[in-house]
Amino acid sequence: MPRFPVDVQDRKEIGATGEKVSAIGLGTWNIRNPDAAVEAIVYAVELGIDNIDTAEMYGDGLAEKIVGEAIKRVGKEKVFITTKLLPHRFRSPEQAEKAMKDSLKRLGLSTVDLVLIHWPDTLVDLETQIRNLEYLAEKGYTRYIGVSNFDHNLLLEALSYTKKYEISVDQVRYSVVYKYPEVRLLPLAIEKRITIQAYTPIERGAVNRVSLLAEIGAKYGKTPVQVALNYLISRPRVIAIPKTERKERVEEFAGAMGWRLSPNDIEALEAATIRV
Ligand SMILES: NC(=O)c1ccc[n+]([C@@H]2O[C@H](COP(=O)([O-])OP(=O)(O)OC[C@H]3O[C@@H](n4cnc5c(N)ncnc54)[C@H](OP(=O)(O)O)[C@@H]3O)[C@@H](O)[C@H]2O)c1
C-alpha cells in the first residue's frame, strides 16, 4: 500500500479554512511572453484550474501585473490568488505593509487570498516574521497566511508563534523526482491540516524523459507530466502548481485531474529513485 491514503479529491481544502481550490494550480515564474501568459491563465480558469501562484519577485513585479490582467478578464470571484513577499519585508510591520500594498496594486486587488513568506529570513527571528505576516491579515490585506520553503522543523516553530491566524499553506519543492517532503513535512502537514503547494512539480519538463512515467502513463492514456502531477495530488493535502504559458500545456495540466493512479502505481513511484 502507498505510504499515505490516496486522496481522490480534485478540489482540496486550503489549510483548515473550509475553502477548496483545484488540486492543480498554475505557477507564474519565468514568464517570457506576457500576452501568452495572460491567455494561459484565462484558459486555465476556464478549464477549472482556479488557483494561481505568483510572487513580487517574479519578473520584478511583472508576473503580478500579468495575473492582474487575467483577473480582470475572468473576474476575481472565479480565482484564488496566492502571492509571496520577499523575506526581508517581514522585518517590520511597516515594511510588510508597504510591500503588500505594492503587490496588491500590481494585482489590481484590495485583498489577496493568501500571502506567503517566500523563504525564511536569516537576519530576523522567526517570531517577528510571523507577527508581521499576521499583521497583514489583521489589516485585511490578505484572507489567509502561509509560508514557503519551510522544512518540518521551521514549520513547527512557525506554528508555535501564530496567535490569531492559522498557517494555511507551506509551498515547497516537491515532485516525483524530489520526494524529500514525504519524509517528515507531509506527515506534519496532514496532522495539522496545512496544505502543501508543490512547486517545480514537473521538474521544468524533465519528467518527460523518465521512462517509468511514460510506461505507467501508457496504461491510462496519460503523459509523463500528467502522471507526475497525479502522483502529487493523490497525496492528502497536496496541491501541485506547475507553470506554463502555453494553452496546450494548460490542457495537459488540467488532464492530470479527474482520475487517479492505482495504489500499486503510486507505490511503485514512491519506491523509485528517479534521476533527471
Ligand atoms: N516558493 C518558491 O520558492 C518557488 C520556487 C520555484 C517555483 N515556484 C512556483 O511554482 C511554479 C512551478 O515551478 P517551476 O516553474 O519552477 O517548474 P515546473 O512547473 O516544474 O516547470 C515549468 C517549466 O516547464 C515548462 N513546461 C511546462 N509544461 C511542460 C511540458 N508539458 N513539457 C515540457 N516542458 C514543460 C514550462 O515552459 P512553458 O512555460 O514554455 O510551457 C516552464 O519552463 C512556479 O512557476 C512558481 O509559481 C515557487
Side-chain angles (χ1 to χ4, degrees):
M1 287 301 287
R3 258 192 83 193
F4 303 95
V6 178
D7 186 351
V8 295
Q9 301 173 86
D10 282 330
R11 298 199 59 76
K12 300 216 183 191
E13 190 182 13
I14 291 286
T17 65
E19 190 162 331
K20 291 190 174 176
V21 301
S22 55
I24 301 287
L26 194 67
T28 60
W29 179 67
N30 200 17
I31 288 172
R32 297 174 303 274
N33 180 336
D35 292 338
V38 172
E39 293 303 326
I41 297 170
V42 171
Y43 193 47
V45 177
E46 282 168 11
L47 296 185
I49 293 176
D50 68 354
N51 67 98
I52 310 298
D53 176 70
T54 191
E56 64 160 320
M57 190 184 88
Y58 298 166
D60 216 4
L62 181 64
E64 288 183 324
K65 287 185 185 161
I66 288 168
V67 172
E69 281 305 309
I71 294 170
K72 271 192 230 154
R73 293 262 301 274
V74 299
K76 174 63 190 77
E77 68 289 351
K78 295 262 177 58
V79 67
F80 185 100
I81 304 293
T82 302
T83 196
K84 304 183 283 294
L85 300 181
L86 289 164
H88 68 269
R89 309 295 193 194
F90 296 93
R91 290 178 189 169
S92 72
E94 294 78 22
Q95 286 177 84
E97 186 166 32
K98 161 92 175 60
M100 184 79 256
K101 281 184 170 171
D102 290 345
S103 168
L104 287 169
K105 194 170 174 195
R106 288 188 291 269
L107 288 163
L109 300 174
S110 54
T111 304
V112 78
D113 297 297
L114 175 65
V115 169
L116 312 179
I117 301 176
H118 205 147
W119 63 88
D121 190 17
T122 47
L123 292 183
V124 73
D125 63 278
L126 185 55
E127 186 167 9
T128 300
Q129 296 172 59
I130 299 299
R131 268 300 69 65
N132 295 328
L133 178 64
E134 281 198 323
Y135 177 76
L136 297 179
E138 273 162 34
K139 295 281 281 184
Y141 297 125
T142 184
R143 299 168 60 226
Y144 308 124
I145 58 170
V147 295
S148 177
N149 296 301
F150 277 42
D151 66 10
H152 168 277
N153 289 355
L154 216 48
L155 179 60
L156 210 50
E157 189 185 340
L159 290 174
S160 74
Y161 298 137
T162 52
K163 285 191 178 154
K164 281 172 65 183
Y165 298 89
E166 309 277 350
I167 289 178
S168 296
V169 162
D170 190 1
Q171 183 178 118
V172 295
R173 181 172 174 205
Y174 179 23
S175 73
V176 68
V177 175
Y178 187 82
K179 288 177 282 210
Y180 186 66
E182 293 179 356
V183 181
R184 295 184 74 204
L185 182 64
L186 185 53
L188 177 68
I190 292 169
E191 181 199 330
K192 302 284 187 190
R193 293 181 73 193
I194 293 169
T195 299
I196 296 294
Q197 285 180 333
Y199 76 68
T200 320
I202 57 168
E203 295 290 330
R204 310 210 161 123
V207 294
N208 277 321
R209 300 194 298 270
V210 178
S211 54
L212 178 61
L213 295 174
E215 280 160 30
I216 291 177
K219 294 195 276 185
Y220 302 83
K222 295 290 179 183
T223 66
V225 161
Q226 290 171 327
V227 173
L229 293 173
N230 196 269
Y231 173 82
L232 295 172
I233 66 172
S234 77
R235 302 311 208 184
R237 290 276 153 208
V238 177
I239 286 173
I241 50 167
K243 179 263 173 181
T244 189
E245 54 197 64
R246 302 178 198 214
K247 283 171 107 176
E248 69 275 16
R249 287 178 175 172
V250 171
E251 269 175 41
E252 188 178 18
F253 295 169
M257 296 187 284
W259 61 286
R260 280 302 181 274
L261 291 161
S262 70
N264 278 352
D265 286 332
I266 293 171
E267 214 183 333
L269 291 170
E270 193 174 88
T273 301
I274 300 174
R275 293 200 173 78
V276 290

